[in-house]
Amino acid sequence: NGFDLQSHISLEEMDASEGNDSWGWTDPEDGTEYALVGLDNGTAFIDISDPVNPMYLGKLPTHTSSTIWRDIKVYQDHAFIVSEAGGHGMQVFDLTRLRTVAAPPETFTEDAHYPGFGASHNIVINEATAVAYLVGCNNYSGGPHFVDISNPLNPTSLGGYSLDGYTHDAQVITYNGPDTAYTGKEILVGSN
C-alpha cells in the first residue's frame, strides 16, 4: 500500500529457479547502486541506479551445488557469499569488476574462496574489525565461525564458538560504553 513497482527482473531472466535474499553495494567512485541477489544456483548482480530500467549484469555461479539458501554481505568493495550447499565455503567477489561489464549478462568467476567450512546459513560482518561471522555452519555445532577478512582476497580463520549450539542469525557490534571494561570489545547478539 502506497508503493509503486518500478520494474521487475524475473528469475527466468537470471537463469534461476528460486531467489532468497538480497544485499546491496554502492560504488564509492561514482555512486552507482547495485543489488546483489541470492539465487538457488548463484549470485546475481543488478545495476539499479536507474530503478525504472535496472540492468542484469550477470551471475557468479554457486561454488558447488544449487540450494534454496544463499547469503551475501559486503566489506571493502567485496561481496562475501555463503550458502547452505554442501562444501560451498565462502566465495569472495571483487565488486569493482561490475564497473566494466561490457556485454551483460556475464558469467563471473570468484576472486577468492575460503574453504574453512562446508555450508553456512548466514554471514554477519563487523566492518569496524574486519571480521566475518559465519553462522549456522556445519562446524562449531552451528555456532559462529570467525574469519579475518582484513585482506578480502585472503580470508583466514580466527576460530569459533560452539557452546550455545546453532546460531541462525546474529548482529555484531564493537562496544562503545558506558562500561569502560568492555570498550572496544566485540559483542555478538545471536538468534539461537
Side-chain angles (χ1 to χ4, degrees), residues 55-177:
M55 186 183 320
Y56 170 51
L57 300 176
K59 178 168 48 179
L60 171 65
T62 182
H63 189 77
T64 54
S65 58
S66 293
T67 182
I68 62 168
W69 192 258
R70 190 168 314 278
D71 195 43
I72 311 138
K73 297 295 186 297
V74 172
Y75 175 72
Q76 286 190 350
D77 303 328
H78 288 77
F80 295 84
I81 304 158
V82 299
S83 171
E84 289 184 348
H88 187 276
M90 180 173 68
Q91 294 176 295
V92 182
F93 180 77
D94 182 350
L95 294 164
T96 64
R97 293 170 56 191
L98 300 177
R99 296 173 180 156
T100 57
V101 175
E106 285 188 17
T107 300
F108 297 105
T109 56
E110 60 196 24
D111 292 290
H113 181 256
Y114 174 74
F117 65 100
S120 178
H121 176 70
N122 208 337
I123 179 172
V124 178
I125 293 177
N126 184 351
E127 293 183 25
T129 59
V131 176
Y133 295 83
L134 314 174
V135 296
C137 292
N138 58 344
N139 55 7
Y140 298 106
S141 301
H145 177 138
F146 318 135
V147 180
D148 178 348
I149 58 170
S150 58
N151 177 351
L153 298 179
N154 187 28
T156 57
S157 177
L158 296 171
Y161 182 77
S162 61
L163 297 181
D164 286 329
Y166 177 84
T167 303
H168 185 77
D169 201 353
Q171 179 177 2
V172 180
I173 61 159
T174 302
Y175 185 76
N176 191 24

